[in-house]
Amino acid sequence: MGAAPASRDVTSYGMGLAAPLALFFLLFFVAPLLQLFWLSLHNDTAGLHWGLGQYLHFLTDPFSLSVLGSTLLLGAEVTAVCLVLGFPIAWLYQRVGPRLQTIIILIVLLPLLTSVVVRTFAWIVILGRQGIINATLQSLGIIDTPLKLLYTQFGVVIALAQVQMPLMTLPLITALGRIDPNLDDASCSLGAGSWRTFFRVVLPLSLPGVIAGCTLTYAAAITAFITQSLVGGGQMLFMPMYLYQQASTLQNWPFASAISIIFLLAVLAVVSVFTTLGRLSRGYGGA
Amino acid sequence: MILNRRSLMTTALTLGAMKAFPGLSFAQARPLVFATFTGSWEEAHKAVLVPAFRKANADAAMVLDPMLSVDQIAKVNAAKANPPIDVMLHDPGPALVAIGQDLVEPYPVEKSAYYKDLIAEAQEPMGPAPFFQVVGLTYNPEAVKTPPTSWADLWKPEFKGRVGITNLNSTLGTGWLVEIAKMRGGSEANIDPAFKALEELKPNLAAVAANPGALATLFQQGQIDISPGNFNAIQILKARGVPVEFVAPKEGAIAFKTTIHIVKNSPNRELAFKLIEAALTPEVQTTLMNPPYLIVPTNSKVTMGGEIARVLAKDTAELKKKFVFQDWKKINEQRSAWIERFNREIKI
């Protein structure tokens, strides 16, 4: 810190600047996390007997594993829907005039400006028996009895996809914006069709954005307690509700801690797959 | 020890904070803190109980700190020696947990002017019940023309895909399951018949809500037409124009005691006692019985009136006849096993 100005390397970072945030994280994130881990290593709810019983219980119980599996699958479904629906919007954004761009960015950001609870309640109204979808289908004579949309996996995926959409679209818009538009023309003039151009040029170059968007959407979707429980209901059990049940209703903190550690590791594994892909794509994009 | 387990870090942080901000150590002189429930409970207590308490106690300072029962228990557990809450409010399940963890003081019954006037079920020496919550059948009168009369009506074929229930996270869901067990020959100790009955209920089930509040939304959206429901919650919905009616089933409406407790080591013990006394007075209970609150009173000196007299009971004698109370000690022993079983078996 006290180094002479002359010998100071302007490209180095002053780690001191990160200290306040690092301290904050240490106190309010790392310390509680360690406490959580410590608690999960106890076999009884009073926390007297050490052991791996909680982990064994979870990992040998087909039901608990199925909850974990369905949660990870839910995240994958939501991420896929967001990617398929979000990519065209981001692509369009880079190709329209400034006025339309403002409108698109407003539409993308709008969901972020309302609370998740409000958005989720809107979905209850949309998906309900007398909701917009059922009412429209019935008035068109396509269905006689209302479809069951609320409290289904389909409903949860659709609602979560809308709620988390900005997390996918914004990184995509940035990534696509970094691609030199001349590359499209170059690809075309060298004889590639538009699909070939898309798959061989645009998509590989946008991969960093795709990876970032997928990571954010995935992490947000699997931990979305409110949307999962309001649109999914009480009989669809995902990890956040399972955790809540054990910690809050049953006061079984060691098991709840073990569930959260396992959940955390599972999510880290998925995210690290994403980042590995991202690292590979960086080489690809730079090539 | 529980204190070590849950609060090691909190305690360390608190100690650190007290070194860093010595002013915190003078927190002794804080006002009385009453942890009520959120939502309509908070509204009712703010409007009726707090003014009554302050009037009777020379404008003593007090604050409402609304939170869930489990949060109350966690907070007091984290600082047993100097609890941040003086008075706790609990449903029957959490009340037993709080008593079991030695977080509450016995109520000074001999000093109390109103305790002896409470109906017998409300006289709990570890903390009396100033209010009852009542669970019965809720239905949409526009869709259900003949009002239901029994829990068994939920199984009628005409309600195929129209029934809502909640899972066992809530007092309501758990209490209801126990009643179903009793209806089918079981009890708090034998829940098996209830799970068999739930299996038969599946064709009728439209929704298993994550909490009782979500049931209200489902009625509003026409997703369900009939469900077990909380009397107070239904009255609030009704007042907002939702077509719902409440009926006490012939097996008896389930009554939950909402108990109020003095927290152990409270620095405001005397005021805490005064607040609970205020909650037990016939005046406060009468005001809370009237619209818009419609909270069922427990003081036998209160004359039942209005919607409560019409739908539930005209006097305490009828109340005792029509209400069923459950053994939450037994329920708590097995609740986690029930929840686990419900998680596994109830998929629709």
Side-chain angles (χ1 to χ4, degrees), chain A:
Chain A
M1 295 304 244
S7 66
R8 191 161 158 186
D9 181 0
V10 286
T11 59
S12 74
Y13 301 97
M15 293 304 277
L17 289 177
L21 189 64
L23 190 71
F24 186 83
F25 266 114
L26 209 64
L27 267 181
F28 296 107
F29 183 70
V30 178
L33 196 66
L34 287 176
Q35 194 193 7
L36 195 76
F37 183 61
W38 179 79
L39 196 56
S40 75
L41 294 173
H42 289 85
N43 283 344
D44 58 330
T45 45
L48 294 175
H49 305 288
W50 292 86
L52 292 169
Q54 309 293 352
Y55 290 94
L56 275 177
H57 176 175
F58 189 96
L59 296 172
T60 54
D61 175 22
F63 175 76
S64 300
L65 289 174
S66 79
V67 175
L68 178 63
S70 62
T71 310
L72 297 179
L73 181 69
L74 174 77
E77 288 174 355
V78 174
T79 310
V81 172
C82 281
L83 184 60
V84 170
L85 297 179
F87 204 99
I89 298 174
W91 190 83
L92 198 66
Y93 177 86
Q94 299 301 347
R95 275 157 187 76
V96 295
R99 189 169 301 161
L100 265 177
Q101 278 194 333
T102 319
I103 293 174
I104 290 179
I105 205 80
L106 190 72
I107 292 172
V108 169
L109 285 180
L110 211 53
L112 284 183
L113 303 179
T114 43
S115 125
V116 177
V117 182
V118 175
R119 279 183 276 165
T120 303
F121 265 98
W123 275 103
I124 295 178
V125 177
I126 294 170
L127 297 172
R129 264 176 76 90
Q130 300 163 357
I132 298 166
I133 295 179
N134 274 320
T136 314
L137 289 179
Q138 271 178 309
S139 67
L140 291 175
I142 297 173
I143 50 168
D144 295 329
T145 47
L147 297 174
K148 189 179 154 96
L149 301 169
L150 200 59
Y151 285 29
T152 60
Q153 175 96 2
F154 169 80
V156 179
V157 171
I158 292 297
L160 273 175
Q162 191 267 337
V163 168
Q164 317 294 2
M165 189 64 87
L167 298 179
M168 179 64 88
T169 327
L170 292 176
L172 282 178
I173 286 179
T174 318
L176 286 172
R178 278 206 219 104
I179 302 174
D180 185 346
N182 289 326
L183 288 176
D184 277 12
D185 302 337
S187 170
C188 283
S189 68
L190 288 172
S194 26
W195 283 112
R196 200 171 145 94
T197 304
F198 175 76
F199 282 112
R200 300 299 296 271
V201 179
V202 178
L203 192 61
L205 286 175
S206 67
L207 267 183
V210 173
I211 303 290
C214 285
T215 313
L216 288 174
T217 316
Y218 191 84
I222 55 173
T223 52
F225 178 70
I226 297 171
T227 310
Q228 284 171 7
S229 58
L230 283 180
V231 181
Q235 84 283 7
M236 259 203 271
L237 199 59
F238 296 111
M239 290 296 268
M241 178 55 99
Y242 197 28
L243 242 171
Y244 172 81
Q245 215 177 44
Q246 295 297 328
S248 198
T249 313
L250 296 175
Q251 301 266 312
N252 188 352
W253 289 27
F255 188 51
S257 311
I259 294 178
S260 33
I261 297 286
I262 290 169
F263 191 34
L264 185 70
L265 291 178
V267 177
L268 277 180
V270 174
V271 170
S272 62
V273 169
F274 281 138
T275 37
T276 315
L277 287 176
R279 210 171 301 130
L280 291 176
S281 77
R282 217 170 295 146
Y284 194 13

Side-chain angles (χ1 to χ4, degrees), chain B residues 58-334:
Chain B
D59 269 347
M62 76 162 288
V63 287
L64 285 177
D65 192 1
M67 65 184 102
L68 297 173
S69 273
V70 281
D71 295 335
Q72 298 180 23
I73 291 175
K75 278 202 178 176
V76 172
N77 243 328
K80 275 185 178 171
N82 188 13
I85 300 167
D86 301 301
V87 180
M88 292 200 275
L89 193 66
H90 286 309
D91 274 0
L96 289 169
V97 173
I99 295 168
Q101 296 186 351
D102 197 22
L103 303 181
V104 304
E105 291 206 351
Y107 194 67
V109 174
E110 64 294 340
K111 259 171 54 186
S112 170
Y114 305 102
Y115 187 83
K116 60 180 188 322
D117 293 336
L118 300 181
I119 68 168
E121 281 78 5
Q123 295 193 9
E124 292 279 350
M126 291 307 288
F131 322 105
F132 285 141
Q133 293 177 64
V134 183
V135 170
L137 281 161
T138 309
Y139 64 99
N140 175 349
E142 287 172 6
V144 181
K145 293 300 175 198
T146 33
T149 56
S150 155
W151 294 120
D153 287 351
L154 294 172
W155 276 259
K156 278 189 180 168
E158 65 201 73
F159 295 131
K160 186 166 186 295
R162 309 304 306 140
V163 176
I165 59 172
T166 81
N167 64 16
L168 305 187
N169 286 5
S170 60
T171 307
L172 191 157
T174 309
W176 176 77
L177 195 73
V178 169
E179 267 333 277
I180 298 309
K182 286 184 184 166
M183 187 180 81
R184 298 278 181 117
S187 68
E188 285 91 342
N190 174 18
I191 203 75
D192 241 24
F195 275 100
K196 289 211 181 77
L198 273 184
E199 201 56 43
E200 294 163 27
L201 187 64
K202 277 184 186 173
N204 280 12
L205 277 185
V208 181
N211 55 66
L215 279 179
T217 322
L218 296 174
F219 269 106
Q220 269 171 316
Q221 298 302 323
Q223 194 81 11
I224 56 173
D225 288 333
I226 186 164
S227 80
N230 184 305
F231 177 76
N232 286 86
I234 297 313
Q235 300 311 321
I236 291 168
L237 272 190
K238 218 173 135 181
R240 305 221 165 120
V242 181
V244 283
E245 281 294 340
F246 177 94
V247 65
K250 66 171 193 269
E251 293 87 358
I254 314 167
F256 298 128
K257 292 175 243 190
T258 309
T259 48
I260 188 164
H261 307 266
I262 302 175
V263 177
K264 201 161 206 171
N265 301 327
S266 154
N268 293 316
R269 204 164 306 174
E270 196 49 37
L271 283 175
F273 169 71
K274 291 275 170 57
L275 177 73
I276 297 176
E277 283 291 285
L280 302 181
T281 57
E283 295 75 33
V284 166
Q285 294 208 355
T286 305
T287 317
L288 287 176
M289 182 185 68
N290 291 325
Y293 310 113
L294 298 163
I295 295 170
V296 183
T298 57
N299 190 319
S300 57
K301 295 261 164 75
V302 178
T303 325
M304 304 275 189
E307 190 73 6
I308 289 179
R310 192 178 73 79
V311 184
L312 293 176
K314 285 187 287 295
D315 48 40
T316 36
E318 194 186 355
L319 183 145
K320 274 186 174 171
K321 225 169 38 210
K322 282 179 77 176
F323 284 10
V324 289
F325 294 90
Q326 301 174 325
D327 183 351
W328 275 84
K329 213 171 157 200
K330 277 231 176 66
I331 294 176
N332 271 7
E333 281 168 14
Q334 303 173 66

